[in-house]
Amino acid sequence: MKNIVSKILILISPLFLQCQNNNEISKNVKSQTMQQNINLEKATLAGGCFWCTEAAFDRLQGVHHVQSGYAGGHDKNPTYKEVCTGNTGHAEVIQVSFDPQIISYETLLDVFFTVHDPTQLNRQGNDIGTQYRSEIFYHTEIQKRKAEYAIQNLENQKVFPQPIVTQISALNDNFYPAEDYHTDYYELNSTQPYCSTVVASKVEKVTQKFKHLFKPEYQ
């Protein structure tokens, strides 16, 4: 009987140790992921159609996720169709989750002022309406000051021929994710006429200036 028990213990011991190792690995992965998420910050930016801005920002190193959505309005949980009427007060925005140790908020603002025209009031090209306005929704007072400085610096350098009309507003948790089909819209619909002309041209502008900051797969 003792021999049988000993043999069973010998057989199951490696399995027990493997389970322990797997649990430790799982814990370490979860811990690293949690630590990584703790270090992430968010930037919420409105620069016209979010298909354009999402495609540009998603290419940047240090950007972990770009969520298209709606902010700055008075209705809760608006739909894309409702926002497109201009009656909800929302702007199409992207919320960028980024690692500030890899890419700074200031750099994100540089990209923001490159991918869209901040001198156009309530429009971007043929996209017309308050939902396409230029606006920075700050999450902290530090972001607010950095946004104010960035705009003042651009004005002082006369980078744009017309005055910048970009608004700076507190987000105040007033962000609603867009419907799932907007995610990676450009990547999944690159041959669609709007994507192949409007979105592609904006991505190209960012590529020309910031390609050195792109993720390897976009180099």
Side-chain angles (χ1 to χ4, degrees):
M1 184 69 177
K2 289 183 179 179
N3 289 337
I4 294 174
V5 171
S6 298
K7 289 180 180 179
I8 292 174
L9 290 174
I10 291 172
L11 288 172
I12 67 173
S13 291
L15 294 175
F16 178 73
L17 290 174
Q18 183 63 42
C19 287
Q20 281 188 314
N21 290 336
N22 288 341
N23 286 336
E24 288 301 317
I25 292 172
S26 179
K27 288 179 182 178
N28 289 335
V29 170
K30 287 181 180 179
S31 177
Q32 292 173 5
T33 302
M34 288 176 64
Q35 184 63 39
Q36 189 179 59
N37 288 337
I38 289 173
N39 294 331
L40 296 183
E41 295 181 10
K42 290 183 178 181
T44 302
L45 308 166
C49 175
F50 47 35
W51 297 342
C52 301
T53 47
E54 183 210 46
F57 279 83
D58 200 40
R59 285 163 164 67
L60 301 171
Q61 294 183 49
V63 170
H64 284 243
H65 181 64
V66 182
Q67 174 67 61
S68 293
Y70 317 109
H74 44 74
D75 291 357
K76 292 184 177 181
N77 299 309
T79 65
Y80 180 65
K81 185 176 180 180
E82 290 169 341
V83 172
C84 284
T85 66
N87 295 327
T88 69
H90 293 87
E92 289 192 17
V93 303
I94 53 167
Q95 190 162 92
V96 183
S97 298
F98 67 101
D99 185 342
Q101 295 185 0
I102 298 175
I103 189 167
S104 68
Y105 184 71
E106 291 89 337
T107 299
L108 294 179
L109 292 179
D110 287 342
V111 176
F112 172 68
F113 286 115
T114 298
V115 75
H116 86 298
D117 183 351
T119 69
Q120 292 191 30
L121 182 63
N122 297 329
R123 69 179 299 172
Q124 284 296 302
N126 292 326
D127 293 329
I128 301 172
T130 56
Q131 67 271 28
Y132 301 115
R133 65 185 180 269
S134 177
E135 188 162 3
I136 297 170
F137 293 92
Y138 61 86
H139 292 245
T140 65
E141 286 297 316
I142 293 176
Q143 285 191 355
K144 178 185 178 182
R145 291 196 292 272
K146 288 181 176 181
E148 291 171 340
Y149 177 81
I151 291 175
Q152 188 60 56
N153 191 45
L154 291 170
E155 293 281 40
N156 291 342
Q157 295 182 31
K158 300 187 183 302
V159 173
F160 299 98
Q162 302 296 326
I164 292 174
V165 297
T166 304
Q167 302 176 52
I168 301 176
S169 307
L171 181 63
N172 293 331
D173 296 324
N174 185 14
F175 171 78
Y176 301 97
E179 295 83 346
D180 289 344
Y181 69 87
H182 293 293
T183 302
D184 295 327
Y185 193 88
Y186 175 64
E187 301 298 334
L188 298 174
N189 302 275
S190 59
T191 59
Q192 190 247 33
Y194 184 90
C195 290
S196 62
T197 54
V198 178
V199 183
S201 65
K202 289 178 178 289
V203 171
E204 180 58 27
K205 285 179 63 178
V206 174
T207 301
Q208 290 177 4
K209 187 175 180 180
F210 297 101
K211 190 173 183 180
H212 61 289
L213 299 179
F214 279 15
K215 297 168 182 173
E217 59 266 34
Y218 295 110
Q219 290 287 348

